[in-house]
Amino acid sequence: MAGSTHPLFESLGTDRAAAPVVIVIFGASGDLTSRKLMPALHALMAGDRLCPATAVVGVGRSELSDDHFRERMRKAVDEAGPVDERAWEALAAGLRYVAGGYDDEKTYQRLEEVLSELDQRIGTGGNRLYYLSTPPGVFATAVRRLGRQGLHRPARGGQFARVVIEKPFGRDLDSALELDRDLHEVLDEDQIYRIDHYLGKETVQNVLALRFSNLIFEPVWNRRYVDSVQITVAESSGVGHRAGFYEEAGALRDIVQNHLLQVLALMAMEPPASMSPKGIRDEKVKALEAVDILSPAKVATETVRGQYRQGWLGGEEVPGYLDEPDVAPNSHTETYVAMRLRVDNWRWSGVPFYLRTGKRLPKRVTEVALRFNAVPHLPFAPTQATGLGPNALVLRIQPDEGITLRFGAKVPGQAFDVRSVSMDFSYGAAFLEEPPEAYERLLHDAVVGDPTLFIRTDEVEQAWRIVQPLLDAWADDPAPPLPYAAGTWGPERADELLADDGREWRRP
Ligand code: BG6
């Protein structure tokens, strides 16, 4: 066994060779392509994780020549960090651009010509990976057009044609189901890779490693020992220049439906028999299916929505949401959500899961914290234990990636006082290896055909079922979201939500 991968972790192994492929990015003139996708492809090529016979075609509505697109992509790679010239040359040789409307047959005819030419010139072997990084309204159209042109199957000699779909996958349960039906008219489920970049984060994957490669955590990972779970995705940034998108989304669709519920699923799931895509995703779905769906009445008592007002962050005054560019003056879009969920199964019955996310909170931090029950009997006088809090295990997803365990220790001195202390694991200090960017990991997985870290159709559907009652209740609610000052931890009502249970939010 020495040196080989434990069978549990086999499918998430590292020695997976990428086949020749053309990666076609729809929405190539957009922000995500420059900020994330192209730098990730460059890093993969530099690390020899892509086959040299890899070509990249951008598709977009902007009129760009191949040269102009290549210049833009070079700039994107430059801005991301030091450039490996050998890797860049390899990518640049196969970089092409196709301009056109996403619903225009001619776009797909031109794309087909370019793909055949690349198969011949670069040797991409008929394999295709389409990446839909367009506005969501385009997903179904683009896939339908690919189907009509016969591009949804590998070309001659090829092994695969896969489609990566960016979030948001639908805007509610019905539209997600409809989108799924549209995609399945053309594609098989094993061709569809629904991306959630949180699953590409090392520390999110580490939830699986922590839980399932150690003996000491799993025995206490249940209702007998865990008092409550808190999952926080806090951002200090505001909506920036993305109001066009955000006004339609809000924090519930933008973060809760996907990132937060995905992290919850990993925390709550049962141990899989193997790390196979099916093994992992079956267990995640089961965990999501155990989440209690809130009734309309419960939405009022179990959830809080807020919207930031003008405030101070990092010594600077920042505007309120309603004063951000392109935000409607009477917008009810929520920039903060907190909620109490129950996972109704044998493991978690009675353990509240508190979830929160927001923009313009005091700092950018994502973490998961398990708070443990108190010991059955404390053999100290109350005065000796004033500094003792509950045991807690905190998984710091970002930044300052690591894990903290809080436990009681004796304060040095003649008295027998006990106080909480922390034992810290820090990724930066423990490992020399640089973690790959989330998109690097996920693009590579999509190229090699490993869907483990992508969202399956039943997962996405269940996640929408969980948030749908909130969407409905808030759409019918004439009251605006509760205000909170930028630079604070959200509306007071969110504190009351936990205070009702005799608990409080962590202040990371
Ligand atoms: C995106 C959301 O999915 O995630 C953004 O659309 C959010 O609004 C971002 O800022 C947060 O991602 P990260 O990786 O910075 O935590």
Side-chain angles (χ1 to χ4, degrees), residues 166-173 176 194-196 249-265 288 334 337 339 341 355 357 455-468 470-471:
E166 258 298 333
K167 66 178 261 275
F169 194 89
R171 24 177 312 103
D172 53 18
L173 178 60
R194 298 172 195 80
I195 201 165
D196 180 324
L252 187 61
R253 291 187 177 93
D254 192 34
I255 304 279
V256 179
Q257 189 272 344
N258 34 72
H259 307 330
L260 265 175
L261 288 180
Q262 283 297 316
V263 175
L264 177 143
L288 291 173
E334 78 285 353
V337 177
M339 59 200 294
L341 287 180
L355 275 52
T357 183
I455 320 285
R456 207 168 59 187
T457 175
D458 46 357
E459 279 183 81
V460 91
E461 187 180 326
Q462 195 55 29
W464 279 118
R465 281 190 203 288
I466 295 168
V467 301
Q468 189 65 45
L470 285 71
L471 291 173

Side-chain angles (χ1 to χ4, degrees), residues 36 167 197-198 201 233 235 237 242 245-246 254-255 258-259 359 364 366 398:
K36 298 288 183 188
K167 66 178 261 275
H197 80 279
Y198 260 60
K201 290 182 192 280
V233 175
E235 297 185 275
S237 53
R242 294 172 71 225
F245 155 77
Y246 201 83
D254 192 34
I255 304 279
N258 34 72
H259 307 330
K359 297 219 183 267
R364 174 174 182 257
T366 298
Q398 65 185 22

